[in-house]
Amino acid sequence: MKKFEATAKGVYAIAVTPFTADGAIDTASVDRMTDFYLSCGVSGLTILGMMGEAPKLDLAEALAISSQVVRRAPVPVIVGVSAPGFAAMRSLARGVMDLGAAGVMIAPPPALRTDDQIINYYAQAVAAIGADIPFVLQDYPLVLSVVMTPKVIRQIVMDNPSCVMLKHEDWPGLEKISALRAFQRDGSLRPLSILTGNGGLFLDFEMERGADGAMTGYAFPDMLVDIVKLSQNGQRDAAHDLFDAHLPLVRYEQQQGIGLAVRKYVLQKRGAIAHDAQRVPGASLSATARAEVDFLLSRLARHDPRAEL
Amino acid sequence: MKKFEATAKGVYAIAVTPFTADGAIDTASVDRMTDFYLSCGVSGLTILGMMGEAPKLDLAEALAISSQVVRRAPVPVIVGVSAPGFAAMRSLARGVMDLGAAGVMIAPPPALRTDDQIINYYAQAVAAIGADIPFVLQDYPLVLSVVMTPKVIRQIVMDNPSCVMLKHEDWPGLEKISALRAFQRDGSLRPLSILTGNGGLFLDFEMERGADGAMTGYAFPDMLVDIVKLSQNGQRDAAHDLFDAHLPLVRYEQQQGIGLAVRKYVLQKRGAIAHDAQRVPGASLSATARAEVDFLLSRLARHDPRAEL
Amino acid sequence: MKKFEATAKGVYAIAVTPFTADGAIDTASVDRMTDFYLSCGVSGLTILGMMGEAPKLDLAEALAISSQVVRRAPVPVIVGVSAPGFAAMRSLARGVMDLGAAGVMIAPPPALRTDDQIINYYAQAVAAIGADIPFVLQDYPLVLSVVMTPKVIRQIVMDNPSCVMLKHEDWPGLEKISALRAFQRDGSLRPLSILTGNGGLFLDFEMERGADGAMTGYAFPDMLVDIVKLSQNGQRDAAHDLFDAHLPLVRYEQQQGIGLAVRKYVLQKRGAIAHDAQRVPGASLSATARAEVDFLLSRLARHDPRAEL
Amino acid sequence: MKKFEATAKGVYAIAVTPFTADGAIDTASVDRMTDFYLSCGVSGLTILGMMGEAPKLDLAEALAISSQVVRRAPVPVIVGVSAPGFAAMRSLARGVMDLGAAGVMIAPPPALRTDDQIINYYAQAVAAIGADIPFVLQDYPLVLSVVMTPKVIRQIVMDNPSCVMLKHEDWPGLEKISALRAFQRDGSLRPLSILTGNGGLFLDFEMERGADGAMTGYAFPDMLVDIVKLSQNGQRDAAHDLFDAHLPLVRYEQQQGIGLAVRKYVLQKRGAIAHDAQRVPGASLSATARAEVDFLLSRLARHDPRAEL
């Protein structure tokens, strides 16, 4: 098993799940996609997240994909195990760890409201999967309707030593990164890796606020890797120049509902997967939308040759 | 396989799932509970619904319980197959039908909003599980946040011949029953069994509005059976007298969140299950709450000897 | 001004707002209704709550009704001042206090999620209306989607000396009363009047858990007054007997959406108001529903002569 | 009164409401701001929208601001009149029309769910304010949780001749513009002005999909005016070049919750208002956030001299 700790840095790509046109898992593309992400320089992979269409897979499929990716990738692989109940969460979590996953990711169920409900949920989740499995806390209020204050996140991290990373996806969220880093400076929060999501829409400033990198699925993970490196090296203007060149497409891909269709379309054009199909229910791009993406790619190609497709 | 058709009438008990104190499935109690419901005179059983703690089971457990109940019960067994995605729904649905289930029940996912989204969801669900599996449409806005108008229900029923029953659980919902029955009188809706939920809180009038019976889990299914019979026989005052005697407890059991704890506590007292334990996360009754239920039972026993426990 | 303090006990009727058939305020009925509530033995009146159709009034109307009721009623009158913003809340609150209201009631806006958001909201509300105005904290998660733990309520009460009462309307909520009373026994919560809502659906046990009375609008406030008295006198069985006789109607009136139509229909039959009209948007009762209420009243009349209408 | 019809085109700026540091309305800045927007070349002004902090004003304040802006601006002024009830909506709508407003804007209340509920709500709203007042239909599911399909929008427009404009703010929403324009081509939808919101985040493609302009409050309305013109002239690359230069700031300002603080900060720097204060409750910018905005402005100034502040 590869190490997965609170010192993690860099880009963990949120991997798509490749399907064929008829909805079967495209096994050949799973390898191709894994290789593609690795070639982009990612530090890890996160599979079976929301943008990995995890809820559309059954358990056997989830385990098969996990096994295939874990065997192929020399980097830590995190597996999304969010589930309606703890029995299914445990089955999947123990299953993928046995296969060699480095850790799991857990999102809160949408019904949680109070601070205590959220804190208790994570205590129960850790009791269910076992305190030996490192896990990522996913904080994504826009989609999940669960709002975690920095204090609540601190409590979860301090209560559960197996919590090693925050997938930061609050919106807006820049001040939240600053607040968590301030907790660490005042000694009330132990080390915690913070990787950011939201399709990269704020990665430029998230890095400056103290993020350790990105955990998101933008179709140019190589750009995310570059931004993280430039930022870590203090090359602020270069980081922003590259970021700004990609922003029109990042923004387009970040549309709820059809964002994944955009992402898969670009990944297919880049050769990372053979088909851009989603399982039902899923959005598809109109001819106009595809033309808009092509137009954005052509404009991007003036600044970044990787967009010449 | 027992027949499950739009002509179904009577009480389909929403079965609890019996657990031991440590959260394991209490296999002995599964048989005991099945026998208990049958002795109450139910026309069918619905297992793995929300009050059956279905989301807390993994697939293997769900199949095992289904198999055990189906083999023992000479009445139609409906299995809840609501799932975050269609692959898991299909696996469970095909699995339980192979085991001899009579049909399945499908609740809409909470994110659905527009009429078309709801109608499309059921079209996709039927495509996923197969049009050969009879299914129950669950309409439960209080908990699911999905609001289906009578027109939308009619559309789903007319679009999908395999939809044979509505689990009516709107709140308030009396006018909805009247509206659906009016559609049938005007010829725009084909035959449809309507069984009502909400713990039986409105069963007295639901029957009078045209319901075919109840599909709910109140701890006295024998009372539900009696009410349905009295109502079908036109014994209005007798039906209301019995209903009113139970209403204080029905009301107490209908509390969201702790209702299932009340139900299991009474079922345990009645000998239907060995333990009243729930899997995590689940509410438990305080000593005061247990005393309140005992008090309600003692008052009920004056009118209904089945409550002498 | 009548005193309104944390020692308040008894029944504060949630008053309806009487309209004529064309939606105008029925001024004559405002007096008639006030007299009716007083004749029922209420300890106070709460006007312009949700069931008082407050959001359907403009400011001038709200002030006019407040003035009329306050002048006529020798008991404390509480006025609902929940508003989308603090300027409107302040205008209404200062206005009605000038007219002689005893206090105001404030519900949290539905968007609040975290503990801190709720606590801060009440701090801001008090800053807006002034710390000299006694207020009722309304806790009604079923309708408002805001969940306040007992700890959060305690914090609000301790932070704001002008908070003198909780309108308890959590669902389920019995344990919440017990938790708050336990806080008082351990010294962490100062005196606080707790009056319960939910149409009276749990008043029998709420009193036994430590409530000081009811603040709700069931169409038989005289029954609520009796229950509170019987319970305070320790006449448990008598309290439950009376409660159980009313429960079929209480339950019917407690239906979300059409409950107010039921309430106004019964109040009209009792002579408390001249018309049962609601302003748009509002539900109306079908002929079948009216017949159901009549049937419930006729059954109730066997136990309680006040229901002979 | 200036004309406000379905042929409206161009930019209608969503105006902020200027406050002094202590929360009073900054009357001098109301004029200054009006002049600023006019100098940017806007075709109309929309005041008292959500980003105008309308819910924080009382009725007298709302009327006073409306009067001041309407008297000064030679362009149509639209006033947001969304309210918890129709009496308040009517009071404000009639009041501002008497003052010379060109029309009003109405957002749906968050509780609406079904297609029929939404359609009925607008019928009731028009009945309340009067069919003689031209109104803007606001479609903003991200914040309001109300999802209107193109068919529902068409129904509202066809049912209500006084509906002259859609404030398009669905997210994602490009296909919705295409669907509505297709309805017009097939003759099922009458002329309708479509102005787009979302802070301008998709204005580049919204124009290409058939929008008539923008109704949003980005702090560079002059840029919005330029984009609309360039797009209308078919200068696609120039439109995108200008758009892309602003996108990093547009994106930063589009953060829910703190976006208005960013907007007011920039408007203050541009001299449009004297203070960037918001009324409580409102977000404020940290020093870091202000520095981030300054940095974005400095980068933007390389492409657009208007950002040299």
Side-chain angles (χ1 to χ4, degrees), chain A residues 105-148:
Chain A
M105 181 162 70
I106 303 174
L112 301 180
R113 283 289 169 274
T114 71
D115 291 1
D116 287 349
Q117 286 173 345
I118 300 168
I119 291 165
N120 290 342
Y121 181 80
Y122 279 94
Q124 294 174 331
V126 169
I129 65 171
D132 56 318
I133 300 184
F135 78 93
V136 181
L137 170 61
Q138 186 173 10
D139 179 26
Y140 194 12
L142 178 65
V143 165
L144 298 169
S145 308
V146 177
V147 183
M148 303 183 198

Side-chain angles (χ1 to χ4, degrees), chain C residues 70 85 98 175 178 200 226:
Chain C
V70 164
D98 287 347
E175 298 299 335
S178 297
D226 290 348

